[in-house]
């Protein structure tokens, strides 16, 4: 179980995740993400005091919190990204994908639905290193079931873009 911020930094590096995720802990995020990607330090302190209240505490890497009610995290052993409303308990969470890009697909689909201007979307893409914005925009525009099919769509893009031996967490 991660016990301090240094171990968290090491876990993010070990998972091959972008170091910009650490800027979230300082509140250094683009304006469009400020209310979604919030500093999770208060949840991290609660996690240290009551790990049993969080999903898979032995492998959980908390990436950010939103509105003091939910977290997005990475389960390092399982290799999945999750979304958890803390009031729902540790066993009730949504899987956001098995790669970083799949997890971002969920976030960016919400930004697209909020009609965030292209220039601001580009800033978010640069900050988070999302690779598939134009493809996701096209997919959402032409697929009425985009909400349930975003993860497989991004997975298909990743499979066609990366060599078979690439690391699934960094993709």
């Amino acid at each position: 179980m991660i016990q301090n911020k240094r171990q968290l930094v090491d876990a993010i590096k070990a998972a091959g995740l972008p170091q910009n995720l650490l800027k979230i802990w300082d509140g250094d995020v683009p304006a469009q993400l400020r209310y979604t990607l919030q500093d999770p330090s208060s949840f991290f302190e609660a996690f240290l005091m009551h790990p049993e209240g969080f999903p898979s505490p032995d492998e959980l890497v908390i990436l950010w919190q939103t509105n003091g009610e939910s977290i997005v995290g990475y389960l390092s052993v399982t290799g999945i990204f999750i979304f958890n409303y803390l009031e729902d308990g540790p066993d009730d969470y949504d899987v956001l994908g098995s790669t970083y890009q799949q997890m971002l697909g969920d976030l960016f689909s919400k930004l697209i639905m909020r009609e965030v201007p292209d220039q601001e979307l580009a800033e978010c893409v640069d900050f988070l290193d999302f690779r598939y914005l134009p493809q996701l925009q096209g997919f959402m525009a032409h697929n009425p079931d985009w909400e349930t099919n975003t993860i497989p769509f991004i997975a298909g893009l990743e499979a066609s873009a990366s060599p078979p031996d690439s690391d699934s967490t960094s993709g």
Side-chain angles (χ1 to χ4, degrees):
M1 185 175 98
I2 294 173
Q3 296 289 321
N4 56 50
K5 192 171 178 183
R6 178 79 241 148
Q7 289 177 352
L8 175 77
V9 169
D10 293 344
I12 287 174
K13 287 179 182 177
L17 300 173
Q19 298 301 296
N20 268 357
L21 290 174
L22 297 171
K23 290 182 177 182
I24 297 168
W25 288 73
D26 300 323
D28 184 14
V29 298
Q32 280 296 335
L33 298 173
R34 195 165 293 136
Y35 298 106
T36 304
L37 277 62
Q38 296 174 330
D39 171 10
S41 57
S42 60
F43 277 147
F44 188 67
E45 299 212 3
F47 171 72
L48 292 176
M49 292 172 30
H50 301 287
E52 70 280 358
F54 291 79
S56 303
D58 289 338
E59 60 174 314
L60 179 63
V61 178
I62 298 172
L63 301 176
W64 65 77
Q65 67 104 359
T66 303
N67 295 328
E69 59 190 20
S70 65
I71 60 166
V72 167
Y74 176 64
L75 300 181
S76 59
V77 175
T78 314
I80 59 172
F81 291 85
I82 62 164
F83 173 83
N84 172 247
Y85 275 109
L86 294 177
E87 68 183 27
D88 291 343
D91 298 326
D92 189 10
Y93 56 83
D94 295 331
V95 175
L96 300 176
S98 59
T99 69
Y100 179 72
Q101 294 298 314
Q102 291 168 21
M103 180 268 295
L104 290 180
D106 178 73
L107 173 64
F108 277 90
S109 66
K110 291 173 184 166
L111 295 173
I112 293 166
M113 288 305 297
R114 288 192 345 227
E115 298 180 357
V116 171
D118 288 343
Q119 182 177 357
E120 293 176 34
L121 274 176
E123 185 180 356
C124 297
V125 163
D126 289 343
F127 179 76
L128 291 168
D129 190 29
F130 184 53
R131 299 178 186 161
Y132 304 109
L133 182 63
Q135 297 95 325
L136 180 60
Q137 288 171 315
F139 177 73
M140 289 175 65
H142 297 100
N143 188 329
D145 297 327
W146 64 266
E147 288 181 271
T148 56
N149 291 312
T150 299
I151 291 171
F153 174 71
I154 298 293
L157 293 173
E158 290 175 306
S160 65
S162 46
D165 61 342
S166 70
D167 178 352
S168 65
T169 59
S170 62

